[in-house]
């Protein structure tokens, strides 16, 4: 059973795909809820949302053309504790095919690598797609990934989907 619920609907601009719920997110029942996580801050700063949402407001993201899901929906923990069998690439592909968002954006390279089956050389738009859905890879917002933080790919994605 998934640790956190998906927030999906047809016709979304971007579905953000995390890796697995953090311990804090699992405790409170809301994605990206850790105190050091930058997800909700960057959504607002990059212009995806008109104000900074609280993690507990996660189910409202569809109002802004956004969705949320995870690559390891039944797991809890950082990337370094996840096993290959924790990832559900086939399940994510089925969700993408069903809902067909404009972009699926992986919030971290590990989730994207597990989905695509190869190393991700750079953040941003990837050459692969799932039907009409483009694939974008973003730096993780986790506090554990601060050394890799760069908001430029997040802002570039916001500009990409704003062209609708």
């Amino acid at each position: 059973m998934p640790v956190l619920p998906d927030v999906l609907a047809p016709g979304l601009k971007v579905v953000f795909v995390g890796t697995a719920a953090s311990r804090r997110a699992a405790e409170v029942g809301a994605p990206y809820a850790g105190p050091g996580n930058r997800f909700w801050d960057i959504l607002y700063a990059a212009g995806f949302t008109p104000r900074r949402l609280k993690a507990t407001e996660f189910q409202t993201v569809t109002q802004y053309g956004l969705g949320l899901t995870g690559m390891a929906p039944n797991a809890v923990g950082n990337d370094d504790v996840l096993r290959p069998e924790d990832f559900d690439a086939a399940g994510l592909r089925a969700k993408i095919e069903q809902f067909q968002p404009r972009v699926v954006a992986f919030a971290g390279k590990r989730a994207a690598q597990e989905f695509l089956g190869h190393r991700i050389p750079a953040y941003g738009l990837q050459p692969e797609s799932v039907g009409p859905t483009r694939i974008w890879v973003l730096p993780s917002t986790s506090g554990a990934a601060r050394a890799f933080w760069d908001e430029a790919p997040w802002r570039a994605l916001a500009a990409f989907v704003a062209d609708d």
Side-chain angles (χ1 to χ4, degrees):
M1 176 151 186
V3 176
L4 298 171
D6 287 335
V7 181
L8 299 170
L12 297 174
K13 288 183 180 183
V14 182
V15 171
F16 293 99
V17 180
T19 305
S22 69
R23 291 191 201 303
R24 180 68 181 145
E27 287 171 8
V28 300
Y32 307 103
N37 198 297
R38 297 176 173 180
F39 184 79
W40 301 106
D41 294 328
I42 192 61
L43 284 191
Y44 171 64
F48 289 105
T49 60
R51 65 178 178 82
R52 188 200 181 280
L53 300 176
K54 296 175 187 162
T56 54
E57 296 178 280
F58 73 95
Q59 293 181 338
T60 68
V61 296
T62 58
Q63 295 173 28
Y64 310 108
L66 309 175
L68 303 170
T69 191
M71 259 301 287
N74 303 319
V76 174
N78 292 339
D79 286 1
D80 61 347
V81 301
L82 298 175
R83 303 161 301 163
E85 59 267 24
D86 291 327
F87 295 91
D88 185 9
L92 177 59
R93 183 171 296 278
K95 292 171 193 176
I96 296 168
E97 290 171 348
Q98 177 183 354
F99 292 102
Q100 297 186 355
R102 180 163 179 217
V103 176
V104 166
F106 290 92
K109 284 187 177 180
R110 173 82 188 269
Q113 289 171 176
E114 294 291 340
F115 183 74
L116 295 172
H118 62 78
R119 189 177 159 280
I120 306 299
Y123 294 116
L125 186 63
Q126 302 300 302
E128 298 92 346
S129 63
V130 177
T133 301
R134 304 301 306 267
I135 297 175
W136 199 284
V137 179
L138 300 162
S140 172
T141 58
S142 169
R146 283 200 186 270
F148 305 102
W149 180 245
D150 179 3
E151 64 181 56
W154 287 82
R155 291 183 181 277
L157 173 59
F160 182 79
V161 298
D163 293 339
D164 285 345

